[in-house]
Amino acid sequence: MTLRDLPSVDALLQGADRLIATFGRTLTTQAIRQNLEAARGEIRRGDGAPAPEELLARTASTLESWLTPTLRPVINATGVIVHTNLGRAPLSTSAQHAMQAVAAGYSTLEYELGSGSRGDRSHHAEQLLTMLSGAEAALVVNNNAAGVLLALTALAQGREVLVSRTQLIEIGGGFRIPEILQQSGATLHEVGTTNRTHLRDFEDALSERTALILRAHHSNFKIVGFATEPSLSELVALGGQHEVPVLDDLGSGSFLDTTLYGLGHEPMVQDSVRQRAAVTAFSGDKLLGGPQAGILVGQTAVIEQLRGHPMARAVRPDKLCLAALLATLQHYAQAEAETEVPVWRMIAAGEPALMQRAEAWRQAVGQGEVVASRSTVGGGSLPEESLPTQLLALRVAHPTRLAQRLRQLALPIIARIEDERVLLDPRTVLPEQDEALLAGLREALSEKAG
Ligand SMILES: *Cc1c(COP(=O)(O)O)cnc(C)c1O
């Protein structure tokens, strides 16, 4: 078997009409070349030369794999509502429409219709954000990490930032408070101890080098037991005596009161503003339930300083984000977030309704049982908190294999495995996906060796 036994590119192209029709001649040629190269390697290693039909089949799968997007929709049956790995918040219908409308054509992104002159994209969401939060001014950036970095850079570069040792956190995706601080060019001044930090620790740490006090939400962990830290109002009062502003990184933040939904207390944006943080930073796609964005609200002078900083240009939001954010904020303004914003609809879903859906699924697939379990909010908010749910539990011989088959469906279903059972939580499955979920379940269960 020699390299000469391999067909030429042209010879293979002659048998590739179907591929050329689907993928185009250029891409098909490229895929053929790649597969011929691999085949040459096989021959050199002493393996046989693949037949032309085999080479064409390989070329077809190469082309498929090139053109299958790696970013695809999935069904989230995990019960984790703000699932960072699965894209965090699903958008409301009107947020989707707003994005679509702006994506399809031109828009007033930086245009004033009244005067017919250049406008400023950074003002679109300001009205709604100030109204909802009670803050004087607002600025939207690309994500909350960027918002915190911008605030630290603009307010504290070359100077000191005081942070309690209880708040030197790392959240998912490598966002670490000490590292972000270093990136901003500010110096971290650690205050207090791992479990207890007192106001007097901040008092002792304040000096003429202090530019800012940073308060960071613990995000995905919880300190329990012998623990304390000063409140935001205490920090603001202390800072005020020394003209040192407080930056409050809420992480998720919320406009709605989570305790009304059987959850623990998640800090609310309005409270942070009322307690006079100079800037409050939070995410657009955590409990707000909108697009990826970083939202900064606060005092006019401080927000203007951030808006005018060169870094603001590098972290500005795009028009799709702004369109979706505006539509999401409108739901809050019209007091309809609980029914219109999917994240809140999921949080508010009652156990009887969840049981009904799980039971309907069970009947439709003809197996499994409905069991009580817990859903979680996720997204670095409300650690250790969960909501009672009713889900479909499938006991099969090989749960990991079933979970894998569910992931390999055309519309993948992401499930959870617990106690040797595959669990599907209706709380995070959008109602309009029910049919697709059931079709996918039937397909995956019907393959043999369940
Ligand atoms: C999530 C989070 C961030 C980062 O927000 P992104 O929108 O993901 O960039 C920053 N700080 C805290 C405390 C968080 O929980």
Side-chain angles (χ1 to χ4, degrees):
M1 207 46 87
T2 70
L3 296 177
R4 289 187 167 279
D5 294 320
L6 282 176
S8 67
V9 174
D10 283 337
L12 285 170
L13 271 172
Q14 268 164 30
D17 289 350
R18 194 184 53 82
L19 293 179
I20 293 168
T22 313
F23 298 101
R25 177 171 288 270
T26 311
L27 205 61
T28 305
T29 309
Q30 214 175 325
I32 287 175
R33 287 217 168 90
Q34 180 174 309
N35 279 285
L36 280 173
E37 189 54 42
R40 280 185 207 106
E42 287 167 37
I43 292 171
R44 281 190 213 102
R45 282 193 303 276
D47 301 339
E53 304 75 53
E54 167 66 12
L55 280 167
L56 280 176
R58 290 185 193 177
T59 300
S61 37
T62 302
L63 286 163
E64 301 272 350
S65 80
W66 280 351
L67 292 191
T68 303
T70 52
L71 179 58
R72 292 161 57 193
V74 301
I75 294 179
N76 174 13
T78 64
V80 181
I81 298 172
V82 183
H83 198 306
T84 294
N85 301 148
L86 302 184
R88 289 195 180 157
L91 295 176
S92 75
T93 307
S94 62
Q96 295 170 44
H97 289 162
M99 279 178 94
Q100 165 85 41
V102 158
Y106 298 99
S107 63
T108 56
L109 181 63
E110 295 182 353
Y111 191 76
E112 290 278 356
L113 285 175
S115 59
S117 60
R118 192 202 155 104
D120 182 348
R121 80 170 70 202
S122 85
H123 287 293
H124 286 294
E126 195 164 20
Q127 173 100 29
L128 282 167
L129 281 170
T130 52
M131 197 174 82
L132 292 167
S133 67
E136 295 166 7
L139 177 66
V140 178
V141 296
N142 184 33
N143 57 38
N144 188 39
V148 173
L149 178 61
L150 171 63
L152 290 170
T153 309
L155 304 175
Q157 193 164 51
R159 297 174 70 203
E160 268 183 22
V161 177
L162 307 188
V163 189
S164 167
R165 287 198 169 93
T166 58
Q167 294 169 6
L168 293 175
I169 52 155
E170 170 182 316
I171 63 162
F175 178 91
R176 292 173 147 193
I177 292 286
E179 288 171 8
I180 287 280
L181 252 157
Q182 198 180 9
Q183 276 302 316
S184 74
T187 311
L188 168 64
H189 187 143
E190 301 180 17
V191 177
T193 66
T194 305
N195 58 327
R196 287 171 72 81
T197 299
H198 305 279
L199 190 63
R200 64 168 184 276
D201 296 323
F202 276 94
E203 231 168 326
D204 294 344
L206 275 162
S207 74
E208 70 285 354
R209 292 184 303 278
T210 313
L212 192 70
I213 295 173
L214 169 63
R215 190 179 83 136
H217 185 266
H218 294 144
S219 199
N220 41 16
F221 93 114
K222 196 168 184 169
I223 308 182
V224 293
F226 192 54
T228 188
E229 31 185 53
S231 70
L232 177 61
S233 0
E234 287 174 322
L235 291 175
V236 168
L238 177 67
Q241 292 163 21
H242 300 79
E243 288 179 43
V244 171
V246 176
L247 163 60
D248 195 16
D249 175 13
L250 289 184
S252 172
S254 179
F255 281 126
L256 300 185
D257 183 352
T258 49
T259 63
L260 300 177
Y261 299 86
L263 290 164
H265 176 71
E266 182 67 20
M268 292 174 71
V269 179
Q270 305 91 307
D271 290 340
S272 175
V273 170
R274 200 176 306 123
Q275 289 164 42
R276 303 200 52 76
V279 189
T280 301
F282 57 102
S283 281
D285 55 355
K286 291 182 179 173
L287 278 176
L288 187 71
Q292 176 187 305
I295 300 169
L296 299 154
V297 298
Q299 296 159 3
T300 304
V302 183
I303 294 293
E304 289 317 314
Q305 209 178 326
L306 306 191
R307 203 192 307 278
H309 192 278
M311 186 186 282
R313 170 64 179 81
V315 296
R316 73 183 186 183
D318 80 305
K319 60 186 179 183
L320 303 183
C321 159
L322 287 170
L325 181 63
L326 279 164
T328 306
L329 293 172
Q330 269 168 20
H331 294 310
Y332 288 90
Q334 294 175 287
E336 59 184 25
E338 187 188 300
T339 51
E340 297 301 318
V341 176
V343 163
W344 284 97
R345 215 165 45 217
M346 290 172 185
I347 290 175
E351 247 187 303
L354 293 165
M355 184 186 286
Q356 235 171 41
R357 275 179 80 197
E359 178 56 29
W361 292 357
R362 191 191 66 75
Q363 284 174 18
V365 299
Q367 57 176 296
E369 53 179 336
V370 176
V371 298
S373 183
R374 312 290 297 181
S375 321
T376 52
V377 175
S381 60
L382 299 160
E384 305 295 310
E385 292 284 336
S386 60
L387 293 159
T389 194
Q390 296 282 332
L391 46 72
L392 176 62
L394 297 168
R395 197 176 286 286
V396 290
H398 303 287
T400 50
R401 220 181 283 167
L402 176 59
Q404 187 188 18
R405 280 206 297 273
L406 289 169
R407 291 197 305 272
Q408 285 165 346
L409 293 165
L411 178 55
I413 298 170
I414 315 298
R416 197 150 58 92
I417 297 177
E418 223 174 82
D419 300 332
E420 300 293 297
R421 293 174 307 182
V422 175
L423 307 183
L424 300 145
D425 190 337
R427 190 185 292 277
T428 51
V429 176
L430 300 165
E432 58 268 30
Q433 292 180 326
D434 263 16
E435 235 171 90
L437 176 103
L438 292 174
L441 271 178
R442 284 198 204 96
E443 184 182 332
L445 284 166
S446 69
E447 288 167 41
K448 64 176 172 54

